[in-house]
């Protein structure tokens, strides 16, 4: 019996990791299809790009609030029901030709994805502790980075062979498969349920958002992820309309971009024992220098190769910084883990949406130089915020040391 329980816990861990990248799959799989969707639905590029942002904002806002529900009512039933609703919304998008219906279903996907992903992040905190928990949380962003690697690569071929609708059929089928496995092997991981009382829940939220180092860390991870998102929003139109290349090329470029982001996370995990401040400072300063070089050289010989060469280095450094600070934020609170996990993931997506869509709205990115300027702005903001983050973190450390 004990061996069976251990095996089932291993399967639950695998299933949880399989769902951690779901939000990334929901955004990245149809990135190569954005120009085709705009053409077929007779919609402007900005409206089609908004389907990404609508999902991210609804996903982010929902994450902030679903944590308290998961802490009070458990992870399993809410998570499983959300998998079913996410699949239904995916099929509805595939069958629709109305951009307004698609936007509405993207909101449903965002809310249900939040319930799914937050419950799975909380599963690890419920189940593991100590070094094992630290090991798993440091893997989160690496596993999560599989989405921008695999999803657009799959989506590019689905687009080429079957059209943009096939991306959403794939999402629906994937979540239904995981739901079936969850019903067979899944179980509730929450050991002690917190009563759903408004005042204590509000106080818990207040404690988290008033923690200076945590909130500054959240801004840093959002700025680094925004670099990936603004690339995803602009690269299909840049590659397919400016360089006149196919969606397959867009998919391969997104694949390389995602690999760079993941490689940055892997490097950060290998250097986990190195001093936090020094390795972060090195990474963000080097990233800022690379963005300047990208902007300066963009007028000399612009093209797909120079675009991707600079992008890959920038995204690698983004992945490095993201993994370090995201793991720090997740481990910052050990009580009310659902709330803390929800604010971390939700705040990340809300801030990323504001940064990426806001800057894309101000700067109509249609060439390499404008993309470089966008990267440069994010890198400069990261440098500035990290300065205050380091002061706050060092002050916290000095207060915790004995006199």
């Amino acid at each position: 019996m004990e061996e069976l329980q251990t095996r089932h816990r291993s399967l639950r861990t695998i299933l949880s990791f399989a769902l951690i990248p779901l939000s990334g799959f929901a955004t990245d799989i149809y990135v190569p299809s954005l120009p085709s969707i705009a053409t077929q639905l007779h919609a402007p590029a900005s409206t089609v790009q908004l389907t990404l942002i609508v999902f991210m904002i609804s996903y982010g806002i929902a994450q902030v609030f679903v944590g308290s529900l998961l802490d009070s009512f458990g992870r399993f039933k809410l998570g499983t029901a959300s998998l079913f609703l996410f699949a239904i919304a995916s099929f509805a998008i595939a069958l629709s030709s109305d951009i307004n219906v698609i936007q509405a279903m993207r909101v449903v996907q965002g809310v249900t994805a939040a319930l799914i992903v937050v419950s799975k992040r909380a599963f690890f905190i419920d189940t593991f502790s100590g070094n094992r928990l630290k090991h798993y949380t440091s893997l989160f962003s690496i596993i999560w980075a599989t989405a921008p690697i695999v999803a657009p690569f799959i989506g590019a071929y689905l687009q080429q062979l079957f059209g943009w609708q096939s991306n959403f059929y794939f999402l629906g089928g994937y979540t239904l498969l995981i739901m079936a496995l969850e019903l067979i092997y899944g179980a509730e991981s929450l050991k002690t349920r917190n009563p759903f009382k408004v005042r204590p829940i509000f106080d818990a939220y207040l404690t988290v958002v008033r923690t200076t180092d945590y909130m500054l860390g959240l801004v840093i991870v959002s700025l680094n992820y925004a670099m990936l998102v603004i690339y995803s929003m602009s690269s299909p139109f840049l590659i397919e309309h400016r360089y006149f290349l196919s969606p397959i090329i867009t998919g391969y470029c997104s694949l390389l971009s995602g690999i760079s982001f993941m490689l940055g996370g892997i490097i950060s995990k290998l250097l986990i024992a190195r001093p936090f401040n020094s390795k972060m400072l090195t990474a963000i300063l080097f990233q800022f220098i690379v963005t300047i070089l990208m902007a300066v050289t963009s007028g000399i010989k612009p093209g797909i190769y120079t675009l991707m060469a600079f992008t890959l280095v920038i995204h690698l450094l983004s992945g490095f910084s993201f993994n370090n600070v995201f793991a720090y934020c997740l481990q910052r609170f050990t009580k009310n883990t659902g709330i803390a996990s929800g604010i971390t993931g939700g705040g990340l997506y809300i801030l990323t949406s504001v940064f990426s869509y806001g800057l894309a709205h101000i700067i109509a990115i249609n060439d390499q130089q404008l993309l470089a300027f966008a990267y440069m702005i994010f890198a400069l903001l990261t440098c500035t915020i990290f300065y205050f983050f380091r002061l706050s973190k060092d002050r916290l450390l000095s207060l915790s040391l004995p006199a």
Side-chain angles (χ1 to χ4, degrees), residues 130 133-135 137-138 272 326-334:
L133 176 60
K134 188 175 182 180
H135 168 72
T137 55
S138 69
I272 196 170
F326 190 69
Y328 175 87
C329 290
L330 283 178
Q331 296 177 70
R332 186 65 180 79
F333 302 96
T334 55

Side-chain angles (χ1 to χ4, degrees), residues 251-273:
Y252 276 110
C253 290
S254 296
L255 172 70
L256 293 173
S257 162
I259 289 174
S260 294
F261 190 82
M262 175 183 266
L263 184 58
I266 292 171
I267 293 171
S268 75
K269 191 174 187 310
L270 293 174
L271 300 178
I272 196 170

Side-chain angles (χ1 to χ4, degrees), residues 20-29 55 59 144 147-148 151-152 225 349:
I20 291 291
L22 180 62
S23 59
F25 262 94
T27 55
D28 292 308
I29 194 167
F55 172 86
Y59 174 71
W144 184 48
Y225 192 54
Y349 269 77

